[in-house]
Amino acid sequence: RSVSSVTIPPPACMLRPLEAPFRYLFGPGPSNVPPRILAASGRPIIGHLHQEMYQIMDDIKKGIQYAFQTENNMTLAMSGSGHTAMECAVFNTVEPGESVLVAINGIWGERVAEIAERMGAKVHTMVKTPGGYFTNEEIEQALAKHKPVLFFLTHGESSAGLVQPMDGIGDLCHKHNCLLLVDTVASLGSAPIYMDQQNIDILYTGSQKALNAPPGTAPISFSERACHKMFNRKTKPVSYLLDMTYLSNYWGCDGKPARIYHHTGPVSGFFALRESLAILAEKGLENSWRHHREVAEYLWKGLEDLGLQLFIKDKELRLPSVTTIAIPEGYNWRELLAYIMKHHQMEMTGGLGPSVGMVMRVGLMGYNCNKGNADMALAALADALKNCPKSKA
Ligand code: PMP
């Protein structure tokens, strides 16, 4: 008997219109997307292998080179979120059995350690509680001890609100014959990073933070040393989708005359990413860094005026894009955040991974980064502190 009738009816929810409320996204990401970028992502789709798409991808590559301050030819955007870039970096530069060193001072190091462990690397970690940073001496000792092929460090630790000082670390890694991998998902555009001058081998970011594009694409760049390592491996990377041999061809980075189909990239996501990189280029990196710092300082002062304490004591180590507030004594942080969401349509968040229960996080990134929004965030916090019950304990 052939099957001729549907037995699953159309779901009732699908017969209702989409509901997506307006929210002030003042957490650690995603951030609000400005109309210009939304408009770019709403343009008619073209084919992922059309000449015009290649031009847009070439523009994106140039935009990333500027944002990262690199001349690396191997510069592209991943089809996927920041985690895709994390996995791409590790899967391509490390072979099973090789030693990897991961600096953990929040959730991102934890994640990379797990990614490396899953693909069969020998993982060594340096661990600090959230808020701690790594000195060059500590890093050099660990490099000498573990002799890793790759060292991972988070530039903007968004779970702790910390910016890691970067000078000199690339040189140390190269002295110890190791590649330096740096995560700038939360910091790019808000805190200075200079990929080439700081001798960083692999750098990646996300689209949805200070770049203000929708989530779902992730810029990444590889130095010549990184390319040498990943294109001279004995084993194939564990992921077909993230294999840089194919991705470098798809992005026109391998010098071959033709780009061959590998996967269908997120066309609208690339339109949006191009527009967000164009906005950064028009504004200028230094202006963007200065602006984030100014608004962050304004927010920090306002928070202190409310009687709140900043989690990172040293101003120079505070991440300008994501501010962490120590949970005020006597309050339930979940209640404060729920109140702010309910009464102000505003997202702020708690900690993440090891910083859960330690901090509340306020992010003002890119388009969201201005004193008017800082005032709104402060007013919402003041309102929550006034109206949420304080426990006796
Ligand atoms: N690294 C850092 C520093 C981040 O803040 C985030 C996102 N919160 C990620 C990596 C992961 O990015 P995604 O959620 O886009 O996969």
PDB file of all heavy atoms in Angstrom, residues 26 291 295 298 364-376:
ATOM      1  N   PHE A  26      21.386  45.116  25.938  1.00  0.00           N
ATOM      2  CA  PHE A  26      22.508  45.692  26.686  1.00  0.00           C
ATOM      3  C   PHE A  26      23.215  44.613  27.523  1.00  0.00           C
ATOM      4  O   PHE A  26      23.660  44.852  28.629  1.00  0.00           O
ATOM      5  CB  PHE A  26      22.015  46.829  27.590  1.00  0.00           C
ATOM      6  CG  PHE A  26      21.445  48.012  26.844  1.00  0.00           C
ATOM      7  CD1 PHE A  26      20.793  49.026  27.539  1.00  0.00           C
ATOM      8  CD2 PHE A  26      21.556  48.130  25.465  1.00  0.00           C
ATOM      9  CE1 PHE A  26      20.267  50.135  26.864  1.00  0.00           C
ATOM     10  CE2 PHE A  26      21.025  49.221  24.778  1.00  0.00           C
ATOM     11  CZ  PHE A  26      20.373  50.228  25.488  1.00  0.00           C
ATOM     12  N   HIS A 291      35.820  55.782  21.504  1.00  0.00           N
ATOM     13  CA  HIS A 291      34.405  55.956  21.811  1.00  0.00           C
ATOM     14  C   HIS A 291      33.921  54.901  22.830  1.00  0.00           C
ATOM     15  O   HIS A 291      33.236  55.239  23.808  1.00  0.00           O
ATOM     16  CB  HIS A 291      33.618  55.855  20.504  1.00  0.00           C
ATOM     17  CG  HIS A 291      32.155  55.994  20.657  1.00  0.00           C
ATOM     18  ND1 HIS A 291      31.550  57.179  21.007  1.00  0.00           N
ATOM     19  CD2 HIS A 291      31.155  55.075  20.535  1.00  0.00           C
ATOM     20  CE1 HIS A 291      30.249  56.977  21.092  1.00  0.00           C
ATOM     21  NE2 HIS A 291      29.977  55.724  20.818  1.00  0.00           N
ATOM     22  N   VAL A 295      32.503  55.886  26.642  1.00  0.00           N
ATOM     23  CA  VAL A 295      31.162  55.519  27.116  1.00  0.00           C
ATOM     24  C   VAL A 295      31.273  54.544  28.290  1.00  0.00           C
ATOM     25  O   VAL A 295      30.519  54.636  29.267  1.00  0.00           O
ATOM     26  CB  VAL A 295      30.303  54.950  25.964  1.00  0.00           C
ATOM     27  CG1 VAL A 295      28.980  54.399  26.479  1.00  0.00           C
ATOM     28  CG2 VAL A 295      30.064  56.010  24.902  1.00  0.00           C
ATOM     29  N   TYR A 298      32.032  56.402  31.405  1.00  0.00           N
ATOM     30  CA  TYR A 298      30.808  57.087  31.845  1.00  0.00           C
ATOM     31  C   TYR A 298      29.890  56.097  32.576  1.00  0.00           C
ATOM     32  O   TYR A 298      29.355  56.391  33.648  1.00  0.00           O
ATOM     33  CB  TYR A 298      30.122  57.679  30.610  1.00  0.00           C
ATOM     34  CG  TYR A 298      28.846  58.412  30.873  1.00  0.00           C
ATOM     35  CD1 TYR A 298      28.861  59.741  31.311  1.00  0.00           C
ATOM     36  CD2 TYR A 298      27.610  57.795  30.673  1.00  0.00           C
ATOM     37  CE1 TYR A 298      27.674  60.425  31.549  1.00  0.00           C
ATOM     38  CE2 TYR A 298      26.420  58.469  30.910  1.00  0.00           C
ATOM     39  CZ  TYR A 298      26.463  59.771  31.345  1.00  0.00           C
ATOM     40  OH  TYR A 298      25.294  60.441  31.583  1.00  0.00           O
ATOM     41  N   LEU A 364      27.582  47.534  26.135  1.00  0.00           N
ATOM     42  CA  LEU A 364      27.185  48.616  25.220  1.00  0.00           C
ATOM     43  C   LEU A 364      28.187  48.569  24.065  1.00  0.00           C
ATOM     44  O   LEU A 364      29.320  49.002  24.210  1.00  0.00           O
ATOM     45  CB  LEU A 364      27.212  49.969  25.928  1.00  0.00           C
ATOM     46  CG  LEU A 364      26.200  50.146  27.072  1.00  0.00           C
ATOM     47  CD1 LEU A 364      26.413  51.475  27.779  1.00  0.00           C
ATOM     48  CD2 LEU A 364      24.756  50.048  26.564  1.00  0.00           C
ATOM     49  N   MET A 365      27.746  48.002  22.947  1.00  0.00           N
ATOM     50  CA  MET A 365      28.697  47.707  21.879  1.00  0.00           C
ATOM     51  C   MET A 365      28.277  48.342  20.556  1.00  0.00           C
ATOM     52  O   MET A 365      27.128  48.237  20.141  1.00  0.00           O
ATOM     53  CB  MET A 365      28.788  46.193  21.706  1.00  0.00           C
ATOM     54  CG  MET A 365      29.253  45.506  22.985  1.00  0.00           C
ATOM     55  SD  MET A 365      29.554  43.753  22.773  1.00  0.00           S
ATOM     56  CE  MET A 365      27.980  43.093  23.256  1.00  0.00           C
ATOM     57  N   GLY A 366      29.250  48.982  19.905  1.00  0.00           N
ATOM     58  CA  GLY A 366      29.023  49.539  18.565  1.00  0.00           C
ATOM     59  C   GLY A 366      27.861  50.517  18.569  1.00  0.00           C
ATOM     60  O   GLY A 366      27.862  51.532  19.255  1.00  0.00           O
ATOM     61  N   TYR A 367      26.853  50.179  17.792  1.00  0.00           N
ATOM     62  CA  TYR A 367      25.651  51.010  17.645  1.00  0.00           C
ATOM     63  C   TYR A 367      24.981  51.293  18.992  1.00  0.00           C
ATOM     64  O   TYR A 367      24.374  52.340  19.196  1.00  0.00           O
ATOM     65  CB  TYR A 367      24.707  50.236  16.728  1.00  0.00           C
ATOM     66  CG  TYR A 367      23.351  50.831  16.464  1.00  0.00           C
ATOM     67  CD1 TYR A 367      23.219  52.036  15.784  1.00  0.00           C
ATOM     68  CD2 TYR A 367      22.195  50.146  16.844  1.00  0.00           C
ATOM     69  CE1 TYR A 367      21.963  52.558  15.511  1.00  0.00           C
ATOM     70  CE2 TYR A 367      20.934  50.649  16.570  1.00  0.00           C
ATOM     71  CZ  TYR A 367      20.831  51.863  15.911  1.00  0.00           C
ATOM     72  OH  TYR A 367      19.596  52.369  15.633  1.00  0.00           O
ATOM     73  N   ASN A 368      25.071  50.355  19.920  1.00  0.00           N
ATOM     74  CA  ASN A 368      24.451  50.544  21.240  1.00  0.00           C
ATOM     75  C   ASN A 368      25.294  51.405  22.166  1.00  0.00           C
ATOM     76  O   ASN A 368      24.841  51.753  23.262  1.00  0.00           O
ATOM     77  CB  ASN A 368      24.258  49.185  21.931  1.00  0.00           C
ATOM     78  CG  ASN A 368      23.003  48.459  21.462  1.00  0.00           C
ATOM     79  OD1 ASN A 368      22.215  49.021  20.704  1.00  0.00           O
ATOM     80  ND2 ASN A 368      22.834  47.233  21.894  1.00  0.00           N
ATOM     81  N   CYS A 369      26.527  51.690  21.750  1.00  0.00           N
ATOM     82  CA  CYS A 369      27.467  52.333  22.660  1.00  0.00           C
ATOM     83  C   CYS A 369      27.314  53.852  22.599  1.00  0.00           C
ATOM     84  O   CYS A 369      27.878  54.505  21.721  1.00  0.00           O
ATOM     85  CB  CYS A 369      28.877  51.892  22.257  1.00  0.00           C
ATOM     86  SG  CYS A 369      30.159  52.594  23.284  1.00  0.00           S
ATOM     87  N   ASN A 370      26.511  54.396  23.490  1.00  0.00           N
ATOM     88  CA  ASN A 370      26.427  55.857  23.619  1.00  0.00           C
ATOM     89  C   ASN A 370      25.929  56.196  25.027  1.00  0.00           C
ATOM     90  O   ASN A 370      25.404  55.336  25.735  1.00  0.00           O
ATOM     91  CB  ASN A 370      25.539  56.483  22.526  1.00  0.00           C
ATOM     92  CG  ASN A 370      24.128  55.940  22.545  1.00  0.00           C
ATOM     93  OD1 ASN A 370      23.399  56.117  23.535  1.00  0.00           O
ATOM     94  ND2 ASN A 370      23.735  55.261  21.470  1.00  0.00           N
ATOM     95  N   LYS A 371      26.138  57.461  25.408  1.00  0.00           N
ATOM     96  CA  LYS A 371      25.826  57.849  26.795  1.00  0.00           C
ATOM     97  C   LYS A 371      24.326  57.790  27.077  1.00  0.00           C
ATOM     98  O   LYS A 371      23.916  57.517  28.205  1.00  0.00           O
ATOM     99  CB  LYS A 371      26.388  59.241  27.086  1.00  0.00           C
ATOM    100  CG  LYS A 371      27.913  59.223  27.156  1.00  0.00           C
ATOM    101  CD  LYS A 371      28.501  60.552  27.557  1.00  0.00           C
ATOM    102  CE  LYS A 371      30.027  60.426  27.562  1.00  0.00           C
ATOM    103  NZ  LYS A 371      30.701  61.711  27.711  1.00  0.00           N
ATOM    104  N   GLY A 372      23.503  58.043  26.051  1.00  0.00           N
ATOM    105  CA  GLY A 372      22.052  57.931  26.239  1.00  0.00           C
ATOM    106  C   GLY A 372      21.671  56.523  26.666  1.00  0.00           C
ATOM    107  O   GLY A 372      20.862  56.336  27.591  1.00  0.00           O
ATOM    108  N   ASN A 373      22.246  55.528  26.007  1.00  0.00           N
ATOM    109  CA  ASN A 373      21.958  54.139  26.389  1.00  0.00           C
ATOM    110  C   ASN A 373      22.544  53.810  27.761  1.00  0.00           C
ATOM    111  O   ASN A 373      21.942  53.049  28.532  1.00  0.00           O
ATOM    112  CB  ASN A 373      22.512  53.166  25.341  1.00  0.00           C
ATOM    113  CG  ASN A 373      21.634  53.116  24.088  1.00  0.00           C
ATOM    114  OD1 ASN A 373      20.510  53.603  24.089  1.00  0.00           O
ATOM    115  ND2 ASN A 373      22.167  52.548  23.020  1.00  0.00           N
ATOM    116  N   ALA A 374      23.715  54.369  28.061  1.00  0.00           N
ATOM    117  CA  ALA A 374      24.301  54.142  29.392  1.00  0.00           C
ATOM    118  C   ALA A 374      23.345  54.698  30.450  1.00  0.00           C
ATOM    119  O   ALA A 374      23.086  54.042  31.469  1.00  0.00           O
ATOM    120  CB  ALA A 374      25.673  54.810  29.494  1.00  0.00           C
ATOM    121  N   ASP A 375      22.780  55.882  30.190  1.00  0.00           N
ATOM    122  CA  ASP A 375      21.819  56.470  31.139  1.00  0.00           C
ATOM    123  C   ASP A 375      20.598  55.563  31.305  1.00  0.00           C
ATOM    124  O   ASP A 375      20.101  55.379  32.424  1.00  0.00           O
ATOM    125  CB  ASP A 375      21.363  57.853  30.649  1.00  0.00           C
ATOM    126  CG  ASP A 375      22.427  58.926  30.895  1.00  0.00           C
ATOM    127  OD1 ASP A 375      23.254  58.736  31.823  1.00  0.00           O
ATOM    128  OD2 ASP A 375      22.445  59.925  30.154  1.00  0.00           O
ATOM    129  N   MET A 376      20.117  55.007  30.185  1.00  0.00           N
ATOM    130  CA  MET A 376      18.951  54.112  30.269  1.00  0.00           C
ATOM    131  C   MET A 376      19.271  52.873  31.097  1.00  0.00           C
ATOM    132  O   MET A 376      18.456  52.416  31.903  1.00  0.00           O
ATOM    133  CB  MET A 376      18.525  53.666  28.869  1.00  0.00           C
ATOM    134  CG  MET A 376      17.575  54.622  28.202  1.00  0.00           C
ATOM    135  SD  MET A 376      17.227  54.110  26.520  1.00  0.00           S
ATOM    136  CE  MET A 376      16.569  52.497  26.787  1.00  0.00           C
TER     137      MET A 376
END
